[in-house]
Structure formats: structure tokens, C-alpha cells
């Protein structure tokens, strides 16, 4: 027969484990980017994104996003969103810029604010033709 002390211990242990899992889930959720791009796609946001892109991204992806830079032949062509590894949603692009991708692309979360990253997302989207963006 199980003692009352053992039952209490198992009950308290399950409460602690449950609480830790809830706190862990909340912490992981709060580290993720916002649900949607808070920066409206406008000519001004694209222009701001272009300045930031040229300063932070063009060395690998090229000034026009086609990745035709000899130093980094493996950089993704940003004009072809259908081939993006993480997808072409605003959130996926934001996450890629902030957290990097594999060994080829470093994270920029320490160099760029969230708002600056959203501006870059808008600029990248401006590089797409209507046909490419629809795919």
C-alpha cells in the first residue's frame, strides 16, 4: 500500500513539473517574433528597409537581392521567394534575419532592432515580381 506521504510527494511533484512546463512554454512564446508585421508596406518602409539592407545584407545578397556576389555564391536569391528555406511569410523572413540560417547566414538580432528588421522584410518583399510573390 502507498503511504499518504508518498501520495503527497507524487502530487507535489506533478504540480511542480506542470508549473515548469507552463513557464517554459510562456518563455518560448514570448521569444518569438510578433504575430504579424507591424510595419505597413509603404514606399517609406521600403526606402528605410533598402538603406538597412544595403548596410547589412548586400555584401552577401547583392544590392539588388539576386545574390550574384562572387564572395558568397551560396547566398539566397531574395527575388525568388518560392525557394526560401523557411518560407516567404513576413514572420519567416523576420526570423531568418534575426536568427540567421545554418552556418551561411549569421544572426542580426544584436545589430538590428525588431522595427529595422521589419523594414528589411518590407524591402525584400518589394524585390518580388507579382508572379514570384504569388507562388
Amino acid at each position: 500500500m502507498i503511504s499518504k506521504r508518498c501520495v503527497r510527494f507524487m502530487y507535489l511533484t506533478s504540480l511542480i513539473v506542470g508549473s515548469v512546463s507552463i513557464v517554459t512554454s510562456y518563455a518560448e512564446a514570448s521569444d518569438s517574433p510578433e504575430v504579424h508585421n507591424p510595419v505597413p508596406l509603404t514606399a517609406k518602409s521600403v526606402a528605410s528597409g533598402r538603406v538597412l539592407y544595403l548596410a547589412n545584407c548586400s555584401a552577401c545578397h547583392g544590392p539588388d537581392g539576386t545574390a550574384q556576389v562572387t564572395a558568397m555564391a551560396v547566398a539566397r536569391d531574395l527575388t525568388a521567394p518560392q525557394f526560401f528555406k523557411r518560407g516567404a511569410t513576413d514572420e519567416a523572413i523576420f526570423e531568418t534575419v534575426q536568427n540567421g540560417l545554418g552556418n551561411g547566414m549569421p544572426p542580426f538580432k544584436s545589430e538590428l532592432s525588431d522595427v529595422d528588421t521589419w523594414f528589411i522584410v518590407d524591402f525584400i518583399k518589394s524585390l518580388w515580381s507579382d508572379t514570384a510573390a504569388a507562388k
Side-chain angles (χ1 to χ4, degrees), residues 4-55:
K4 286 183 180 179
R5 187 175 191 180
C6 186
V7 170
R8 275 190 236 143
F9 176 77
M10 289 188 312
Y11 176 74
L12 288 174
T13 302
S14 68
L15 283 175
I16 291 169
V17 169
S19 298
V20 168
S21 104
I22 289 170
V23 168
T24 302
S25 296
Y26 177 76
E28 289 171 358
S30 64
D31 287 343
S32 60
E34 294 185 31
V35 176
H36 68 284
N37 186 342
V39 177
L41 182 60
T42 63
K44 186 175 181 179
S45 72
V46 170
S48 296
R50 182 177 187 278
V51 170
L52 292 161
Y53 172 89
L54 290 173

Side-chain angles (χ1 to χ4, degrees), residues 78-81 84 88-89 93 123-130 132-133:
L78 299 178
T79 64
F84 288 8
T89 65
I93 298 167
F123 174 72
I124 291 170
K125 287 171 52 179
S126 78
L127 298 174
W128 305 345
S129 69
D130 291 334

Side-chain angles (χ1 to χ4, degrees), residues 56-122:
N56 295 281
C57 314
S58 65
C60 296
H61 294 281
D64 60 356
T66 59
Q68 301 299 316
V69 179
T70 56
M72 292 296 288
V74 297
R76 180 69 56 201
D77 178 348
L78 299 178
T79 64
Q82 65 272 28
F83 299 116
F84 288 8
K85 288 185 179 182
R86 287 191 177 143
T89 65
D90 288 8
E91 294 78 16
I93 298 167
F94 178 93
E95 181 183 334
T96 301
V97 173
Q98 286 284 292
N99 299 317
L101 185 62
N103 293 327
M105 181 173 165
F108 284 86
K109 62 184 162 193
S110 62
E111 287 85 24
L112 297 168
S113 70
D114 286 357
V115 172
D116 286 347
T117 303
W118 287 120
F119 283 138
I120 291 173
V121 169
D122 284 356

